[in-house]
Amino acid sequence: MAMEKNFDANTAEARIAGEWAASDAFAAGANAKPGAESFSVVIPPPNVTGSLHIGHALNNTLQDILVRWHRMRGFDTLWQPGQDHAGIATQMVVERQMAQRQEPNRREIGREAFLQKVWAWKQESGDTIIEQLKRLGASCDWSRNAFTMSGAPGAPAGEEGNFHDAVIKVFVEMHDKGLIYRGKRLVNWDPHFETAISDLEVENREVPGHMWHFKYPLAGGATYEYVERDEDGNVTLRETRDYISIATTRPETMLGDGAVAVHPDDARYAPIVGQLCEIPVGPKQHRRLIPIITDEYPDPDFGSGAVKITGAHDFNDYGVAMRNNIPLYALMDGKGAMRQDGLSYEESAEIATRAANGEDVGDVSNVNLVPEELRGLDRFEARKLVIEQISAEGLAVTYLHKEIEKETGAEHLERRALVESKPIMQPFGDRSGVVIEPMLTDQWFVDTAKIVGPALDAVRSGQTKILPEQHEKVYFHWLENIEPWTISRQLWWGHQIPVWYGLNLSLEGQVDDDHDGALDDVEIFALLEEGLVHRDEIHHAASGFADVAEKFRDSIAGLPQPLEIARVIEVANREAAVDAFAQGLADYNLTQDPTKLVYPVWRDPDVLDTWFSSGLWPIGTLGWPEQTPELARYFPTSTLITGFDIIFFWVARMMMMQLAVVGDVPFRTVYVHGLVRDEKGAKMSKSKGNVIDPLTLIDQFGADALRFTLTSMAAMGRDPKLGPKHVEANRNFVTKIWNATRFAEMNGVRGGVARPEPKHVVNRWIIAELARIRMATDEALESYRFNDAATGLYAFVWGKVCDWYVEFSKPLFDGEHREETQATMGWVLDQCYTMLHPIMPFVTEELWALTGDRPKMLVHGDWPEFGAELIDAEADRQMNWVIALIENIRSARAQIGVPAGARPDLIVTEADEAARAALAANGPLIERLARVNPPADGAMGPGMISVAALGASFALPVGEMIDVKAESARLEKSVAKTEKDAQGLRGRLSNPKFVENAEAEVIEETREKLAALEDDVSRIRAALAQLQAM
RNA sequence: GGGCGAUUAGCUCAGCGGUAGAGCGCUUCGUUCACAUCGAAGAUGUCAGCGGUUCAAAUCCGUUAUCGCCCACCA
């Protein structure tokens, strides 16, 4: 059977992938030795909406290398695959598709129908990336493919895993331990998706912006002496002012100001602290007054030193407002438009004014300080109008603008509004790209401060190691300054929060006024009349309605009878609950039948942050909360390979959550790789159009070439830069080893033989080289130096096996060493396939099958363990001499211009014993590779060029071709270079301090090197002398 | 404003105490029984600057410059 000249990656890859799949080659524990240690990796789950990008290709190639390597070494190996439900992204994709098809939108069809559509979409398109990963060669146990939404209510057949159970169980447990809480807080709100997002999902970007300066007039026309001083206390400005100057980049938020704050030590404003000033916007007749307060937050050296405080729309202001008991006036709705709900402006302003005067006005959520003419406008539209209004009123801070007419020289003075154009940092939603609005909303939070400790300790103590180490610092810094994690999302696709609410009926003893433990008609009437609407809520978390009903029964057990036996029922929302409860009461009132009484509860409509479920990935994919055998065998997992961009999103949270939930670290080692960039080092992005599609590269050059390329560029802590040229070069490497095999095959070499113990020095030498590369490869992989493993194998296969061993073998196949050379080559190539397999699984699997009758596929091949014991120092020394001699002859020939086809004699003018032995053993090899006739003793003569090797000198008669001048120039140049190197070594050795301090080994090495150089120099000098004597 | 990283051949990058390497590109030569997706030979570096530690520095320390990235609430 003759092999083709090239490996046909396209057809072979599909076929081989099919064979692996058919034989369950990647199943958990496949190829494990009895009693083997386990090695497990969980895949960073790609989004169901995803398709394979170059970052996935790198990430999964590196994982696959570790996994295949361990599997071949006989570990009990599991690579756990799966996908992430990606709440926002998926909901967005499905909604977009619905819009394209001109179907009714999600609100029109309702939650349940929409979720069905998402599941349908997932079933149809969700496998895309899995198939792509298979094309890459990822050896995951695909039978275990997990999904973060599996087992959720409404999941169709085929999605009945239990990930949902894990998520819900963790939520309930953390809730009941007080690690998860609900609260009305200022959160990052995405007005596009109309949901809260966590601080990590906010991208702060610098954009061109403006800063406006406005005057807030003092109440009642009061004035004060405004004095500015320089550093030495000299007065630089003194004027009487009736206002305080305020700067803002967001004038529309002035409507919601609750105070103006200055620093307590700021002498400029000391006279007016405690006074009221007027917000210069809003209907003239209802201008609001707000107090001037002190707080540590304002920086006296920045701007005017006075800050307007809008507690409901700015995180800093929120802090100031909370400290100083300033009301938080919300101005916008979920879409980022000015509110239209709540009280009229007039009523609202009245309440706010009372608050400004120190009165406790209670809950202000109904207060809407947006003037009627601005209500419903987009926030940016409202900004324009606010600016216009203030400016029209002359309350913008102005400066004197001087213009000189060119022709006449006349000066024009004009007052202009002070508006600074400057770059400002603005928060954007990482998925929506719109400006994030801080909004006061009810959300769920993980109290991260309570669970962060163990996650920090585990890395500090080395229980989990993060590589490269520089990332540990980043990890520490983030965790040490961690903020509460907002986990509720106002979306539909996700794990619905397992919390139910009910009306709080037990407040302040209102229910049972006469404390008789029973509900009389008067009290029932009171309950109904006093507005159930205004009652607050109680809530419980549980894994389902049955469980939560139990908890509510406990809660209402203390109510007066017969309320305490009301039936707990589930309704859609609060309004429905009020209605149902009222109805029940009314029925009871009529019939006195206590079974008519119901206690309605409704479930929180929000879903959990996708990362909350991803945070449970290690245990969740292994079957937790069931105590599965896989959990016992593979948890904690061995290594996590991931990109630095999700260290916070994912890695840190997995650390916290696994430790909080099961008390152990999720993985022993985290290897963080870089971001693949284009060949110029730029980030790949669609807008730049420099995105490299890994599938195109696979089509073009094969998966092995792509994998090898990514691996060889994966130096720790660096960003790989990828261009098609690189992949092409490595495709050539695939071709190279393919053709080395083809050569072997043509010479009767077969694989599958036991390790031979050859006699010939060439065979002994290549085995020694192989032993070295085996040790180096393992060492590199053990320390995650993937690039060293790849480049080392490349250099060995191409630079040693193909360039030299294959060439040396040609004469050997014709002689008495034919058989041992066949055996050696077969065995050496087998080892090459084996060691390359983790990086290049397809071509090696193919070659493995082509070259022998194999008991098993290479994917389950045995990783070699041999090492230094196979190194034959004498063979090594001799072959290095032979190679050096061949190189020297080739070099001399090329420089003198001896035609490639010419075959001159090789005259040995002088040689020591070792050189003679090497010549005798390797004559035919040298003849062939240096293209010379068999070596024979003789003397230097005219028309010859000379060549030296350690311990020997040679002459090559090249007849009339010789140009004496050129030959002496060549020799002189060679002497000069060698002599220069020798001089350096001599200098070192003659330095007494070097000899005193340096390691003995280093000194010895230096001496040997010098001796070799000196031998070389003297031989070339001799040749030069002879040349000149002729 | 903090933190991290980079600066090495024309290009993209390894190396991280013993005197510079790879791939691509370039020059010359080559139909020698594996491979032109190839072979042979070659050219090309004050290892960013300055200072220090050391017998010895691309490699360790300090500093400057330039370029990246991450984090951060300056109105």
Side-chain angles (χ1 to χ4, degrees):
Chain A
M1 172 211 62
M3 287 171 66
E4 296 295 322
K5 276 192 170 186
N6 296 301
F7 173 55
D8 179 2
N10 282 325
T11 58
E13 284 173 5
R15 189 185 71 243
I16 291 165
E19 286 164 17
W20 287 330
S23 62
D24 285 333
F26 309 148
N31 202 46
K33 289 180 181 155
E37 205 179 310
S38 69
F39 180 80
S40 54
V41 174
V42 290
I43 199 171
N47 291 354
V48 269
T49 55
S51 61
L52 194 78
H53 59 62
I54 198 73
H56 291 126
L58 170 66
N59 178 256
N60 288 287
T61 295
L62 298 182
Q63 291 177 79
D64 198 41
I65 290 167
L66 286 187
V67 166
R68 285 180 185 267
W69 178 49
H70 280 89
R71 192 185 289 120
M72 293 171 88
R73 291 198 295 165
F75 281 74
D76 176 2
T77 306
L78 167 67
W79 185 7
Q80 172 64 51
Q83 290 158 284
D84 190 289
H85 70 272
I88 290 183
T90 310
Q91 187 162 323
M92 194 165 76
V93 166
V94 176
E95 285 194 83
R96 198 185 296 143
Q97 192 190 54
M98 287 161 62
Q100 268 166 10
R101 295 178 180 171
Q102 312 214 316
E103 294 171 354
N105 70 28
R106 81 176 154 100
R107 294 194 198 281
E108 285 161 344
I109 64 173
R111 185 169 186 146
E112 210 164 308
F114 177 73
L115 290 181
Q116 267 171 24
K117 275 196 176 290
V118 180
W119 278 111
W121 180 91
K122 194 263 177 185
Q123 300 227 300
E124 197 184 306
S125 314
D127 276 351
T128 307
I129 197 161
I130 301 296
E131 293 312 312
Q132 292 170 334
L133 283 169
K134 287 179 185 171
R135 283 203 61 194
L136 223 210
S139 68
C140 304
D141 183 351
W142 296 110
S143 70
R144 299 182 51 82
N145 197 38
F147 184 45
T148 52
M149 276 292 279
S150 71
E159 300 285 359
E160 50 276 279
N162 70 343
F163 209 100
H164 179 72
D165 298 348
V167 173
I168 296 304
K169 183 178 165 73
V170 167
F171 183 95
V172 172
E173 282 185 7
M174 289 179 74
H175 173 267
D176 291 351
K177 284 184 197 161
L179 301 175
I180 288 178
Y181 61 88
R182 183 177 162 83
K184 197 182 192 87
R185 302 288 144 86
L186 201 60
V187 297
N188 294 295
W189 183 268
D190 187 317
H192 177 77
F193 290 119
E194 297 182 59
T195 179
I197 56 176
S198 72
D199 46 4
L200 280 180
E201 291 159 89
V202 176
E203 238 174 65
N204 290 302
R205 287 207 301 266
E206 198 172 75
V207 292
H210 300 284
M211 191 147 87
W212 288 270
H213 297 261
F214 297 124
K215 294 174 178 174
Y216 281 42
L218 293 183
T223 59
Y224 65 110
E225 189 86 328
Y226 178 82
V227 182
E228 267 181 17
R229 295 170 195 274
D230 64 15
E231 284 166 8
D232 305 322
N234 304 314
V235 173
T236 56
L237 175 70
R238 180 187 293 274
E239 62 182 18
T240 301
R241 282 187 177 177
D242 59 356
Y243 67 89
I244 183 163
S245 174
I246 301 287
T248 180
T249 55
R250 306 194 52 197
E252 73 279 13
T253 63
M254 289 166 66
L255 296 165
D257 285 352
V260 165
V262 297
H263 194 274
D265 300 335
D266 194 333
R268 293 171 298 177
Y269 300 114
I272 54 169
V273 167
Q275 295 188 23
L276 296 176
C277 63
E278 184 185 297
I279 302 175
V281 276
K284 203 77 182 152
Q285 61 278 25
H286 301 294
R287 274 294 149 81
R288 285 173 50 217
L289 295 174
I290 50 174
I292 298 167
I293 62 168
T294 59
D295 191 89
E296 297 289 330
Y297 164 64
D299 175 0
D301 296 327
F302 185 84
S304 70
V307 186
K308 63 192 261 323
I309 301 300
T310 319
H313 291 285
D314 182 283
F315 286 98
N316 292 314
D317 294 2
Y318 180 73
V320 177
M322 295 307 278
R323 283 193 291 276
N324 295 281
N325 217 7
I326 306 295
L328 309 171
Y329 301 118
L331 296 172
M332 290 163 223
D333 64 19
K335 288 191 164 75
M338 306 312 283
R339 282 174 66 186
Q340 308 185 61
D341 65 332
L343 303 172
S344 69
Y345 179 81
E346 187 179 343
E347 294 168 295
S348 301
E350 190 269 323
I351 295 173
T353 303
R354 283 194 278 126
N357 286 310
E359 192 177 320
D360 182 2
V361 294
D363 180 18
V364 295
S365 53
N366 216 25
V367 171
N368 180 352
L369 287 166
V370 181
E372 271 72 16
E373 75 269 21
L374 296 180
R375 293 192 177 190
L377 291 181
D378 179 77
R379 49 191 164 152
F380 300 113
E381 202 54 40
R383 176 178 305 172
K384 278 188 211 151
L385 293 177
V386 166
I387 295 164
E388 277 174 24
Q389 285 176 14
I390 304 175
S391 303
E393 229 176 282
L395 286 171
V397 174
T398 56
Y399 66 101
L400 214 48
H401 180 79
K402 186 157 82 175
E403 209 162 40
I404 302 171
E405 262 181 53
K406 273 185 191 147
E407 294 89 40
T408 62
E411 284 189 10
H412 293 278
L413 288 175
E414 189 190 356
R415 291 217 76 89
R416 289 197 173 176
L418 179 54
V419 183
E420 292 173 70
S421 286
K422 65 172 202 176
I424 54 172
M425 291 299 280
Q426 259 195 308
F428 292 89
D430 65 351
R431 300 220 86 102
S432 67
V434 304
V435 177
I436 290 305
E437 191 63 46
M439 294 271 272
L440 203 54
T441 53
D442 281 306
Q443 302 292 343
W444 288 95
F445 300 88
V446 171
D447 196 347
T448 40
K450 286 189 182 151
I451 57 172
V452 74
L456 280 166
D457 293 342
V459 175
R460 285 204 188 103
S461 70
Q463 199 186 351
T464 291
K465 205 184 321 196
I466 299 179
L467 295 172
E469 251 175 65
Q470 73 225 33
H471 288 294
E472 291 196 349
K473 284 186 196 167
V474 183
Y475 174 89
F476 288 141
H477 180 258
W478 190 67
L479 286 184
E480 280 161 2
N481 298 287
I482 196 156
E483 296 284 331
W485 174 14
T486 314
I487 51 170
S488 41
R489 296 288 179 279
Q490 286 64 49
L491 303 171
W492 287 354
W493 176 238
H495 298 280
Q496 191 173 354
I497 290 174
V499 167
W500 283 259
Y501 303 88
L503 296 169
N504 184 358
L505 299 177
S506 62
L507 252 184
E508 297 160 31
Q510 280 172 355
V511 172
D512 183 16
D513 281 341
D514 43 15
H515 299 283
D516 58 1
L519 213 54
D520 59 34
D521 293 352
V522 178
E523 286 160 355
I524 288 174
F525 184 74
L527 253 183
L528 288 168
E529 278 301 291
E530 279 166 19
L532 288 167
V533 196
H534 295 302
R535 292 208 162 260
D536 67 359
E537 295 155 7
I538 59 172
H539 65 256
H540 289 294
S543 57
F545 176 69
D547 290 344
V548 90
E550 189 62 44
K551 292 186 174 178
F552 276 108
R553 275 194 288 277
D554 289 348
S555 297
I556 62 174
L559 292 177
Q561 52 169 275
L563 268 188
E564 96 278 18
I565 54 151
R567 218 161 9 101
V568 179
I569 60 164
E570 185 169 16
V571 296
N573 52 35
R574 189 184 161 110
E575 288 71 50
V578 169
D579 289 349
F581 181 71
Q583 187 61 50
L585 267 184
D587 289 352
Y588 168 71
N589 213 12
L590 222 59
T591 62
Q592 293 298 307
D593 174 2
T595 65
K596 298 283 186 197
L597 286 169
V598 292
Y599 183 77
V601 299
W602 66 97
R603 186 166 181 176
D604 194 314
D606 291 354
V607 299
L608 286 166
D609 181 5
T610 303
W611 294 105
F612 186 88
S613 44
S614 314
L616 296 168
W617 191 241
I619 54 173
T621 53
L622 293 173
W624 191 90
E626 320 270 320
Q627 287 303 316
T628 61
E630 286 79 12
L631 199 59
R633 266 159 77 192
Y634 300 119
F635 187 85
T637 67
S638 312
T639 302
L640 179 80
I641 297 196
T642 186
F644 61 83
D645 49 334
I646 51 176
I647 292 180
F648 304 147
F649 273 113
W650 194 46
V651 178
R653 286 165 175 172
M654 280 194 286
M655 288 293 287
M656 290 191 287
M657 291 178 79
Q658 281 12 241
L659 283 160
V661 173
V662 293
D664 207 343
V665 293
F667 17 73
R668 304 283 180 219
T669 304
V670 179
Y671 174 84
V672 180
H673 63 246
L675 181 80
V676 184
R677 296 166 177 278
D678 73 7
E679 43 203 331
K680 287 177 199 135
K683 236 181 188 169
M684 291 187 196
S685 74
K686 280 181 195 155
S687 56
K688 271 187 240 160
N690 62 346
V691 176
I692 299 177
D693 180 357
L695 296 161
T696 309
L697 291 173
I698 291 176
D699 289 340
Q700 223 174 338
F701 303 113
D704 291 324
L706 175 63
R707 289 170 59 113
F708 194 92
T709 305
L710 291 168
T711 309
S712 63
M713 294 191 308
M716 223 194 272
R718 299 292 188 92
D719 287 343
K721 294 176 184 69
L722 179 73
K725 275 270 182 210
H726 295 123
V727 188
E728 185 183 352
N730 289 312
R731 187 275 320 268
N732 296 351
F733 178 54
V734 171
T735 306
K736 192 73 181 177
I737 188 169
W738 179 267
N739 276 291
T741 303
R742 183 162 176 264
F743 166 82
E745 203 255 348
M746 289 165 68
N747 285 283
V749 171
R750 295 293 283 166
V753 295
R755 178 167 64 79
E757 298 205 2
K759 304 235 160 15
H760 197 281
V761 61
V762 165
N763 291 323
R764 299 182 68 78
W765 163 79
I766 195 63
I767 286 174
E769 292 287 356
L770 178 70
R772 283 205 186 87
I773 198 63
R774 195 244 97 205
M775 292 187 285
T777 302
D778 276 330
E779 213 178 294
L781 290 177
E782 257 148 37
S783 46
Y784 299 88
R785 287 183 285 109
F786 295 99
N787 57 325
D788 286 348
T791 51
L793 286 165
Y794 182 100
F796 172 71
V797 170
W798 198 313
K800 290 285 196 315
V801 175
C802 294
D803 286 350
W804 293 106
Y805 183 61
V806 163
E807 296 303 327
F808 287 150
S809 74
K810 288 174 181 173
L812 296 184
F813 281 136
D814 295 333
E816 53 172 321
H817 296 101
R818 178 181 172 84
E819 277 179 25
E820 72 155 57
T821 303
Q822 284 174 328
T824 304
M825 184 172 286
W827 183 76
V828 167
L829 285 173
D830 275 0
Q831 308 312 310
C832 291
Y833 309 147
T834 306
M835 289 193 289
L836 279 169
H837 184 263
I839 308 179
M840 307 201 303
F842 293 104
V843 69
T844 50
E845 188 73 82
E846 180 78 341
L847 291 172
W848 182 256
L850 284 175
T851 52
D853 300 318
R854 312 290 187 171
K856 48 185 188 175
M857 283 194 283
L858 184 56
V859 64
H860 292 165
D862 296 323
W863 191 262
E865 287 175 357
F866 52 78
E869 75 281 1
L870 297 189
I871 295 175
D872 176 342
E874 176 53 25
D876 224 47
R877 201 197 55 72
Q878 198 175 88
M879 289 317 297
N880 286 333
W881 185 87
V882 169
I883 288 169
L885 172 59
I886 292 168
E887 283 176 339
N888 287 347
I889 295 173
R890 283 172 173 172
S891 178
R893 290 177 60 130
Q895 285 177 53
I896 290 305
V898 178
R903 184 177 276 277
D905 291 337
L906 179 62
I907 297 171
V908 185
T909 57
E910 196 210 329
D912 63 16
E913 219 168 293
R916 285 194 182 281
L919 277 176
N922 303 286
L925 280 53
I926 297 165
E927 290 160 38
R928 189 183 175 94
L929 296 194
R931 295 191 69 72
V932 292
N933 287 318
D937 287 338
M940 180 75 186
M944 298 187 192
I945 57 175
S946 37
V947 170
L950 187 63
S953 298
F954 302 86
L956 280 79
V958 291
E960 67 270 19
M961 291 160 307
I962 185 157
D963 173 345
V964 177
K965 253 176 138 177
E967 172 67 351
S968 19
R970 177 180 78 85
L971 295 175
E972 263 157 20
K973 194 177 156 200
S974 173
V975 166
K977 185 173 178 288
T978 314
E979 184 53 35
K980 192 185 153 207
D981 290 350
Q983 205 53 48
L985 296 182
R986 255 179 239 125
R988 272 211 277 163
L989 284 166
S990 62
N991 180 348
K993 283 186 179 169
F994 172 71
V995 185
E996 272 168 45
N997 295 312
E999 285 171 47
E1001 212 176 291
V1002 173
I1003 298 171
E1004 187 50 32
E1005 223 171 79
T1006 310
R1007 286 206 172 109
E1008 275 171 23
K1009 229 183 270 177
L1010 179 60
L1013 289 178
E1014 283 176 339
D1015 179 80
D1016 200 30
V1017 167
S1018 70
R1019 281 173 198 285
I1020 303 169
R1021 284 229 168 94
L1024 211 43
Q1026 282 172 319
L1027 187 69
Q1028 276 149 8
M1030 277 171 213

